[in-house]
Amino acid sequence: MNGAQSLVSTLVQQGVDLCFANPGTSEMHFLAALDDPRMRSVLCLFEGVATGAADGYYRMRGTPASTLLHLGPGLANGLANIHNARRASSGMVNIVGEHSSAHLRHDPPLTSDIEGLARPLSHWVRRSDSADNIAWDTTQAVAQASAHPGRIATLILPGDASWQTLGAGAAQASAQAATPPAPVPASTAKAPSAARVAHVARVLRSGEPTLIILANQATRGLALERAGRVAAASGARLGSQFFTARIERGAGRVPLERIPYAVPQAQAFLQGFRHLITVETREPVAFFAYPDKPSLLKAEGTLVHPLVEADEDSALAFEMLLHELGASATPARLQPRIDTPVPSGALNPGSIALALAAAIPEHGIVVDESLTTGRETMGHTQGALPHDLINNMGGSIGYATPVAIGAALACPGRRVFCMVGDGSAMYTIQSLWTQAREGLDITTIIFANHSYAILKAEFANMGAGTPGARALAMIDIDRPRIDWQAMARSMGVPSVAVHTAEAFHRAMVDSTRTPGPQLIEVCL
């Protein structure tokens, strides 16, 4: 067994059996090792697709996937979606190829500071310099990625460590090589502070207007259900930040109010609250700094009370809080089903939201990077059939189509609706090819307004005046216009263009009836 085979075998033993790969010459032995039938390998034509797909997989499965990236430049290509994954508390194991140790001293063209590139966005970085050490290093990487919250682990694999036979490295490592690593135990979140829980109970008993802001693990499963019971018992309202890693929502689930994105609307929403209680998140902050507008969005005099820190157990915290309130038997208020009529006529944010609400299949997954066009979808889909919603936590665009790949692989049999603006979609459009190659049940919805419309709004928000012709040319993408149907066809994805709300609804429903990927161009 060589080092690369040891790495793949250890990944599988530790429960990581999926690799999103974009290999190069230095990774050929690792590529050969991926022939292990226990490991599923998915080829991505751009590293940002690989890292984004690993993010989406973790968000839906809760366990890390691995990526294979080619040297420093390959890692650099994947960093934007590693940033998004880190902000979403997703775990992933990045395997980054490197020149052999002997070759590095000659400074070949692809030499770079891989550790320097990885460290700002990784929680853990290690170079595995010997085949005999790879199994142990890999075990540590998986343990890091599997922690709560999820962490980014980067393992650098030099070519010689990859091709060496076990036992050929340093003598002192032979004992490690002879003993296979034990499986990584499931990560457990810490218990929250009892004093903190008691303090929050006093706040809730005060009767003063209170918003409980949920994030990460608290927006789904048992934690969300218990949060709903706390809200029912105390009269507090439940909310989320504008962007959330994943929310279980729709009919039969505990509803959350979304804090608006724009600063004035967010301030108006938060104005009436005396208390903000944070759960696996911090107090609301503006996405950008704007002239003459605050960074912190709460009203003057509003008090912030942390209930659950990022590494703590939200479900346990709400159980403790219910006990403290004497409300352990209180049921949660659940969202009733709203049958949304199919809209007709012109396409606009309202009709688009209504069409989506009527079309989301039961247990569907919605990956949202629609920016301007999709701003109204969350309110109108609150009473749709039960579904999961995934948002871009890091703000680096080009996340949605790769994340949809990971979500589809994590949850086979569940249709993924991926909503993305045309400007954002072009960042990682290679995702369509992987969707087609893997036959994934993804409906990619392209909102084609032929511009970076979000930047037009931000131009005004920044007080930059009226954009001139040259400024507008930097945020319009209509010369030449992108032919989305030709783009989809070139990558093996069937497509359709729609011009009315009823046609949009029909196209979404039709896409759920045919296995495999589809693309819908929404012509605006």
Side-chain angles (χ1 to χ4, degrees):
M1 177 180 285
N2 64 25
Q5 291 166 330
S6 174
L7 197 162
V8 171
S9 180
T10 305
L11 283 173
V12 173
Q13 289 169 13
Q14 304 298 334
V16 178
D17 57 4
L18 178 61
C19 182
F20 297 102
N22 186 277
T25 301
S26 301
E27 297 82 46
M28 288 298 100
H29 287 83
F30 187 91
L31 191 61
L34 290 176
D35 274 336
D36 187 323
R38 299 172 297 168
M39 174 68 79
R40 180 171 183 176
S41 305
V42 175
L43 178 60
C44 302
L45 301 186
F46 175 62
E47 295 87 343
V49 175
T51 55
D55 179 14
Y57 184 86
Y58 183 91
R59 295 208 206 184
M60 294 307 302
R61 182 66 69 90
T63 57
S66 60
T67 71
L68 174 60
L69 309 174
H70 181 47
L71 294 113
L75 172 62
N77 281 342
L79 284 177
N81 276 330
I82 292 175
H83 161 78
N84 289 332
R86 179 173 174 136
R87 298 296 297 192
S89 297
S90 293
M92 71 174 68
V93 178
N94 296 312
I95 310 299
V96 183
E98 172 64 296
H99 294 300
S100 69
S101 303
H103 193 55
L104 268 178
R105 64 173 173 263
H106 301 297
D107 192 29
L110 279 169
T111 300
S112 63
D113 181 3
I114 298 178
E115 288 96 333
L117 289 168
R119 203 164 277 120
L121 293 178
S122 298
H123 299 89
W124 180 93
V125 181
R126 181 169 296 174
R127 178 184 293 264
S128 201
D129 285 322
S130 166
D132 294 317
N133 296 330
I134 283 177
W136 292 94
D137 292 341
T138 305
T139 301
Q140 291 301 308
V142 175
Q144 289 288 325
S146 303
H148 173 79
R151 294 162 67 88
I152 307 299
T154 300
L155 182 61
I156 301 167
L157 181 64
D160 47 348
S162 185
W163 69 58
Q164 284 173 355
T165 301
L166 267 63
Q172 62 266 31
S174 60
Q176 289 187 351
T179 307
V184 173
S187 174
T188 56
K190 296 177 182 177
S193 160
R196 220 185 302 135
V197 172
H199 170 74
V200 168
R202 289 193 294 272
V203 170
L204 292 173
R205 282 195 292 264
S206 75
E208 295 179 326
T210 301
L211 177 68
I212 304 174
I213 306 173
L214 309 182
N216 202 20
Q217 302 286 338
T219 59
R220 49 193 183 267
L222 188 58
L224 178 59
E225 189 270 338
R226 287 175 176 170
R229 291 162 59 193
V230 167
S234 66
R237 287 160 63 182
L238 295 178
S240 72
Q241 306 281 10
F242 186 81
F243 295 114
T244 305
R246 173 185 160 203
I247 303 177
E248 290 180 349
R249 61 194 305 271
R253 290 172 169 168
V254 173
L256 300 177
E257 300 179 66
R258 189 185 204 183
I259 298 171
Y261 174 88
V263 171
Q265 290 91 321
Q267 289 179 293
F269 177 85
L270 295 169
Q271 180 66 42
F273 294 109
R274 171 64 175 160
H275 303 282
L276 301 179
I277 296 170
T278 59
V279 181
E280 297 192 53
T281 189
R282 298 179 180 178
E283 68 171 282
V285 176
F287 212 74
F288 295 103
Y290 299 95
D292 303 319
K293 293 178 182 176
S295 294
L296 299 178
L297 301 176
K298 67 180 183 295
E300 186 176 353
T302 300
L303 303 175
V304 180
H305 312 273
L307 173 61
V308 184
E309 300 293 351
D311 60 350
E312 294 178 346
D313 187 331
S314 290
L316 176 58
F318 283 120
E319 181 182 35
M320 295 166 65
L321 188 54
L322 285 165
H323 178 76
E324 193 79 27
L325 292 169
S328 295
T330 302
R333 296 194 188 102
L334 303 179
Q335 172 66 47
R337 173 80 171 102
I338 300 173
D339 286 311
T340 303
V342 177
S344 60
L347 287 163
N348 53 55
S351 65
I352 286 169
L354 293 171
L356 178 67
I360 293 175
E362 188 169 13
H363 304 304
I365 300 168
V366 178
V367 180
D368 186 11
E369 194 178 15
S370 52
L371 301 177
T372 48
T373 307
R375 288 282 173 86
E376 297 186 25
T377 57
M378 193 155 177
H380 286 296
T381 56
Q382 190 79 275
L385 289 172
H387 62 280
D388 287 60
L389 174 67
I390 292 174
N391 290 133
N392 185 348
M393 292 293 291
S396 182
I397 66 176
Y399 103 104
T401 55
V403 164
I405 290 171
L409 286 165
C411 301
R414 296 176 64 180
R415 171 62 59 167
V416 178
F417 280 177
C418 174
M419 307 193 305
V420 59
D422 48 2
S424 297
M426 285 300 294
Y427 277 60
T428 46
I429 194 61
Q430 304 93 333
S431 301
L432 295 179
W433 185 89
T434 298
Q435 292 175 17
R437 181 184 174 98
E438 299 295 326
L440 301 178
D441 293 335
I442 299 172
T443 303
T444 300
I445 300 166
I446 304 288
F447 294 112
N449 57 19
H450 312 291
S451 71
Y452 289 109
I454 182 68
L455 294 183
K456 291 182 178 179
E458 294 290 51
F459 205 98
N461 290 338
M462 281 291 183
T466 303
R470 292 186 179 184
L472 283 173
M474 294 298 101
I475 52 180
D476 282 329
I477 53 173
D478 62 345
R479 292 181 291 117
R481 287 203 167 194
I482 300 163
D483 188 334
W484 285 104
Q485 292 186 78
M487 181 79 75
R489 185 168 57 252
S490 73
M491 299 198 197
V493 175
S495 67
V496 62
V498 298
H499 297 83
T500 64
E502 61 267 35
F504 178 41
H505 173 267
R506 184 168 58 252
M508 284 189 286
V509 172
D510 287 348
S511 75
T512 67
R513 296 170 176 160
T514 305
Q518 305 274 326
L519 183 142
I520 302 171
E521 179 186 6
V522 180
C523 301
L524 300 171

